[in-house]
Amino acid sequence: MFTIKQQLSLDTTHEVLVVGMFEKNQPLDGIIAECDRRLGGQVSVLLKEGDISAKKKQISKVHTLNQAGVKRLYFVGLGKEEALTFDLLREAFGKLFKTLKQAKRTEAAIALDTFVTKDIDANDAAHALSEAYYLATYEFPGYKQKKNETEKRIESITIYTEADQAEIEASVFVGSVYGKATNSARTLVNTPSNLLTAADLANYAVELANKYEFEYEILEKDDMEKLGMGAFLAVNQGSKNPPKMIVLKYQGKETWENVIGLVGKGVTFDTGGYSLKPRESMVDMKTDMAGAAAVLGAMEIIGELRPEQNVVAVIPATDNMISGEAFKPDDVITSMSGKTIEVKNTDAEGRLILADAITYAKHHGANYLIDVATLTGGVIVALGVHTTGAMTNNEALFEQVLEASAETGEFIWRLPITEKDKERVRSSKIADLNNSPGREGHAIMGGAFLSEFAEDTPWVHLDIAGTSVTSKEHDLGPSGATGIMVRTLATLVERFE
């Protein structure tokens, strides 16, 4: 897909040459000045007339009309040089690749050094480019009958740069791994629940384990009964599909210590149980396993890049259905930790399965915990659809998660857990905990409930209910699943101290 070369010549044959352009007052320079000379000053004229724009994320196309080996020039507007960030560059590349895909181009060359600034070096630009390519051109294959016409797509990209070739190749590889793994998660989330049961999710995890030589364990229902996972089993009671507790272990150090536990909510479909969701809210509940998908995507990156860290991934997988055997409001259940829970809302099921998963992650030696879940509608009310809600019991761990999220452009915002919040989840008169003590601060109640199972282990909770899917197409992907937190979790593991 990607080829790295040093010498860029306008006489080389390419369908497309892509050039980055900043808003500057001084004369054109470098490859842009050379393009201007070849086209008899037309680049300068088109710039003045507004047909080429250097404004951020503006894509302008110019035909060379046989004045060069390159057939078309695509100028990517980058705005003011000092204002260009890695996030903005990645989005600009995303918009470029969407434009090339729409135009049915099959090949392109990129003048990488035209995207470099004093803050963004060629390695950063190469990472942004390759990650953006995979994210922006992603499509869920779906189930429509295929047309006979051949689909045209970009098959090769030549990157021209004066930078060290081996370093650029490494950056392109890392960016590609990040992009592909995010797309893997997107596909899982987009898959209908009749085609992605708990068993299917477990099979997918085993395939990952075999590919990347992870240790794995799949707990069956009778294993969970022996271990006393009453919270997880209660959620599964109404289902015909058996639950699976999925465990993947990656050992990047000689000894199994300083273990990072990644826990992902894997509810493959959520009806709400007897606290039944309204019809509109039940549509798209196939996406209620986006936390599990994020963890599996992160493990794909970890498998490819082999960081020197120890990681255990734990995914409780089930659906939440209604039957004569389903759990009910007012039931009291006993979690693996021994804590009893009064069920006030069967639609607050994610925290129940995560409670046992968090306990089991600690059982596997997790010294740090990050759970990811489409946990509450309340987080959408609080933070909207572009910001993931976060809660924690440990400042140092939260700072590392925050830095990783900033690096990947997956914005998070911290919500508080106070003693008053903890009192509310302990407010049951007949059990240790209440799974849903009211609508007020609902997202915080979910986090406060989970903190009762994290206990003293450093822990961060990420509520992705608003960010796991999008209704609109964007620069880095289509509508549907976003694959949110795949890259943040992987970056956290890579950079972890």
Side-chain angles (χ1 to χ4, degrees):
M1 168 56 74
F2 295 100
T3 308
I4 320 298
K5 291 186 177 177
Q6 283 197 312
Q7 296 302 316
L8 171 57
S9 165
L10 291 179
D11 292 321
T12 308
T13 304
H14 287 295
E15 276 188 46
V16 168
L17 173 64
V18 177
V19 181
M21 183 175 269
F22 292 99
E23 289 179 313
K24 290 178 180 175
N25 293 323
Q26 63 254 45
L28 300 178
D29 57 6
I31 190 68
I32 299 174
E34 198 181 325
C35 293
D36 192 40
R37 279 195 299 276
R38 280 295 182 99
L39 300 183
Q42 281 303 299
V43 173
S44 299
V45 172
L46 292 168
L47 259 171
K48 276 181 195 160
E49 294 179 354
D51 292 298
I52 295 175
S53 174
K55 287 185 175 159
K56 63 183 183 186
K57 297 201 284 185
Q58 292 294 312
I59 311 292
S60 314
K61 179 177 76 173
V62 175
H63 282 271
T64 61
L65 301 173
N66 295 327
Q67 299 304 302
V70 173
K71 276 191 184 178
R72 301 167 194 83
L73 297 169
Y74 276 72
F75 294 97
V76 180
L78 299 170
K80 298 266 189 284
E81 186 170 341
E82 62 276 11
L84 185 67
T85 62
F86 184 84
D87 285 349
L88 185 57
L89 179 58
R90 181 169 44 206
E91 286 174 11
F93 276 131
K95 192 165 182 188
L96 165 75
F97 289 124
K98 275 181 172 282
T99 305
L100 294 178
K101 183 182 175 185
Q102 206 168 5
K104 295 184 163 50
R105 302 289 162 237
T106 59
E107 181 269 341
I110 297 180
L112 188 71
D113 297 343
T114 61
F115 294 88
V116 169
T117 69
K118 68 179 195 313
D119 296 321
I120 297 171
D121 65 15
N123 293 329
D124 293 331
H127 179 130
L129 183 157
S130 56
E131 188 177 300
Y133 167 74
Y134 286 103
L135 293 176
T137 59
Y138 169 78
E139 270 183 77
F140 180 62
Y143 308 97
K144 290 185 177 183
Q145 290 183 336
K146 298 287 182 275
K147 293 174 184 171
N148 287 331
E149 58 199 58
T150 313
E151 204 177 307
K152 284 189 175 180
R153 57 176 67 245
I154 300 169
E155 285 163 9
S156 73
I157 295 170
T158 307
I159 297 171
Y160 287 98
T161 177
E162 296 298 320
D164 182 275
Q165 195 159 344
E167 287 186 13
I168 296 297
E169 279 175 4
S171 295
V172 166
F173 174 70
V174 172
S176 300
V177 165
Y178 269 62
K180 287 176 183 176
T182 304
N183 290 345
S184 297
R186 287 171 167 179
T187 296
L188 286 171
V189 177
N190 285 328
T191 302
S193 64
N194 63 321
L195 303 176
L196 189 76
T197 63
D200 294 319
L201 211 51
N203 291 339
Y204 181 92
V206 170
E207 283 174 22
L208 269 189
N210 289 333
K211 182 174 181 180
Y212 296 116
E213 297 179 340
F214 299 146
E215 206 180 304
Y216 72 88
E217 175 184 51
I218 309 294
L219 294 186
E220 303 296 342
K221 190 173 182 177
D222 54 351
D223 300 318
M224 296 174 212
E225 285 167 351
K226 285 172 192 162
L227 289 165
M229 293 183 177
F232 184 16
L233 289 167
V235 176
N236 180 255
Q237 269 174 223
S239 178
K240 283 187 174 179
N241 291 313
K244 306 282 178 182
M245 184 68 90
I246 301 161
V247 181
L248 298 176
K249 287 168 101 168
Y250 165 78
Q251 188 163 342
K253 295 180 176 181
E254 281 188 25
T255 54
W256 188 247
E257 58 189 5
N258 292 322
V259 180
I260 304 164
L262 304 179
V263 181
K265 175 185 170 186
V267 174
T268 57
F269 194 85
D270 184 16
T271 64
Y274 275 107
S275 305
L276 191 66
K277 291 179 185 289
R279 180 178 59 82
E280 298 83 4
S281 302
M282 211 186 296
V283 174
D284 285 335
M285 276 298 113
K286 66 180 182 180
T287 67
D288 209 18
M289 38 59 70
V295 168
L296 289 168
M299 291 304 289
E300 184 177 326
I301 296 173
I302 289 161
E304 289 283 352
L305 302 184
R306 318 301 289 183
E308 289 182 13
Q309 302 290 358
N310 292 329
V311 182
V312 59
V314 180
I315 293 166
T318 179
D319 47 11
N320 183 22
M321 305 297 282
I322 296 175
S323 77
E325 295 178 351
F327 78 134
K328 311 170 296 299
D330 292 340
D331 283 2
V332 173
I333 56 183
T334 305
S335 67
M336 185 187 178
S337 72
K339 290 178 181 175
T340 55
I341 303 159
E342 184 180 12
V343 177
K344 285 296 179 188
N345 180 2
T346 64
D347 195 22
E349 86 298 330
R351 65 199 69 179
L352 298 177
I353 70 172
L354 287 170
D356 283 345
I358 284 169
T359 303
Y360 200 55
K362 292 198 290 184
H363 170 81
H364 272 284
N367 305 105
Y368 307 90
L369 292 162
I370 298 96
D371 80 77
V372 193
T374 46
L375 205 72
T376 63
V379 82
I380 305 173
V381 176
L383 298 176
V385 295
H386 302 296
T387 306
T388 292
M391 281 156 260
T392 190
N393 64 5
N394 186 278
E395 294 293 332
L397 180 61
F398 177 73
E399 282 302 317
Q400 292 206 53
V401 175
L402 187 64
E403 282 173 27
S405 76
E407 195 171 320
T408 57
E410 297 185 322
F411 192 57
I412 66 174
W413 191 259
R414 184 175 170 184
L415 298 170
I417 296 176
T418 66
E419 283 306 313
K420 295 275 185 201
D421 300 320
K422 292 177 183 177
E423 283 169 20
R424 283 182 66 197
V425 299
R426 295 170 188 159
S427 64
S428 170
K429 290 178 180 171
I430 61 170
D432 297 319
L433 303 171
N434 172 346
N435 87 319
S436 186
R439 291 188 66 187
E440 303 87 354
H442 187 55
I444 293 170
M445 290 305 100
F449 182 89
L450 293 176
S451 74
E452 294 290 319
F453 298 89
E455 297 173 311
D456 296 330
T457 306
W459 157 83
V460 173
H461 162 59
L462 298 170
D463 192 338
I464 59 171
T467 52
S468 61
V469 293
T470 176
S471 58
K472 293 177 184 170
E473 188 177 336
H474 52 103
D475 291 332
L476 292 170
S479 60
T482 59
I484 198 82
M485 291 299 134
V486 168
R487 292 170 300 131
T488 293
L489 294 179
T491 300
L492 171 74
V493 168
E494 275 199 279
R495 305 268 192 280
F496 190 75
E497 291 175 6

